[in-house]
Amino acid sequence: MNGPVVVGVDGSESSLTAVEVAAHEARLRGVGLRVVHAFIWPKMHVNLEPSPLGPREGGLRNIAERWLREAAERARESEPGIEVTEDLVTGEPLTVLEALSREASLVVVGSRGMGGFVGLLVGSTAVHLAAHGRCPVLVVRGEADRTGPVLIAVDGSPEADEAVGFAFAEASLRGTELVALHAWNTWTERGGDDPGHPSNLVDGIDRLRDTEERVLAEALSGWQDKYPDVTVHRRLVHDRVRQALIEASEDAQLVVVGARGRGGFVGLLLGSVSQALLHHSHCPVAVVRGGRP
């Protein structure tokens, strides 16, 4: 997609940090940055203008416009030369961002906020946006260290293939290495859907490890050919998925996950693994849905 990077702002410091990250992403992609504040008050027939008894700069509209100006100024200071547009949009924030994601190359949001974006990460809103957004969603949390590698969670599922491609592209754009992590344990055995299936009663840990090594290699092979400039480090970990990803995120500048997966990553977006990453990752988290409409 050649659409702009969209970032939601609400005047909080968290959203301004997200603006800086979004500006960097826009520069890397060579696209514009669209700074958006969703303004729900007009639909509620609330007076937006300054009170006759208050200062001229008061009023909800002036406050919202000031938040947009500050955010746009932060973006231009952070990444001089990028094209920045400001949009004050009437509507509920989640609905607005989801609609804008149809034409965006990336949507960026902060991990905490106020006003219309309260609870964007820790509540259900961020999960819904990541699940239903029509482009990758980047949630800015932790430290955005630009010296570390990009970390991709690999599970070998067709649904996660687009996330792998996104991670390769990000590593190439950032000029950094890619760490492809595949965490496995006895519950990742692929012989049958029923845990009681004989093939799920693992009697050869070496055999299972060989199987998981092939899964990791196959998930990366085509993308490595497409991005020969990216150095890839394969990391096969015999561990719990959540723990392995959270620990690995300490050294990463970005962790990329698919919206859905299989095996150890079943329910990656809506289940406990994604929740753990969104709450505990040490760096920003990008959620990528497969099969973008």
Side-chain angles (χ1 to χ4, degrees), residues 8-235:
V9 301
D10 61 5
S12 68
E13 188 58 36
S14 175
S15 73
L16 291 177
T17 300
V19 165
E20 294 179 353
V21 173
H24 183 64
E25 292 290 331
R27 184 184 65 78
L28 289 176
R29 289 166 168 74
V31 300
L33 176 65
R34 189 173 183 179
V35 182
V36 178
H37 176 71
F39 201 45
I40 197 171
W41 300 111
K43 288 189 173 182
M44 301 178 70
H45 306 291
V46 174
N47 183 19
L48 306 180
E49 306 306 322
S51 167
L53 302 178
R56 288 185 177 181
E57 63 274 15
L60 294 174
R61 186 185 302 278
N62 284 338
I63 292 173
E65 290 174 348
R66 184 174 72 248
W67 287 344
L68 278 174
R69 286 195 304 271
E70 291 174 351
E73 289 171 4
R74 180 74 71 93
R76 295 185 180 102
E77 291 172 0
S78 176
E79 297 289 347
I82 67 169
E83 180 183 352
V84 182
T85 58
E86 306 166 30
D87 281 326
L88 185 61
V89 184
T90 299
E92 192 275 328
L94 174 57
T95 303
V96 169
L97 290 176
E98 185 177 327
L100 293 177
S101 72
R102 295 174 181 271
E103 303 298 332
S105 59
L106 182 71
V107 171
V108 182
V109 292
S111 60
R112 295 178 180 85
M114 63 182 186
F117 290 93
V118 164
L120 188 58
L121 174 64
V122 297
S124 61
T125 307
V127 174
H128 183 89
L129 180 61
H132 299 286
R134 304 307 177 92
C135 71
V137 175
L138 176 58
V139 180
V140 179
R141 58 160 292 107
E143 296 294 328
D145 182 1
R146 296 177 184 174
T147 63
V150 171
L151 171 66
I152 173 65
V154 177
D155 72 349
S157 68
E159 294 83 2
D161 188 57
E162 194 165 329
V164 175
F166 179 84
F168 267 94
E170 282 291 307
S172 180
L173 286 171
R174 295 164 185 250
T176 193
E177 299 176 339
L178 178 66
V179 173
L181 186 149
H182 177 56
W184 65 280
N185 48 61
T186 55
W187 288 105
T188 62
E189 173 66 30
R190 299 163 189 274
D193 296 330
D194 182 358
H197 191 283
S199 62
N200 282 328
L201 303 177
V202 180
D203 57 3
I205 201 72
D206 291 337
R207 175 179 59 80
L208 180 55
R209 182 184 295 108
D210 291 343
T211 298
E212 300 304 330
E213 284 180 350
R214 288 195 297 273
V215 169
L216 179 56
E218 291 170 0
L220 301 175
S221 60
W223 292 109
Q224 283 187 297
D225 294 338
K226 188 173 182 179
Y227 292 93
D229 59 313
V230 176
T231 299
V232 181
H233 299 281
R234 301 181 188 180
R235 188 179 297 179

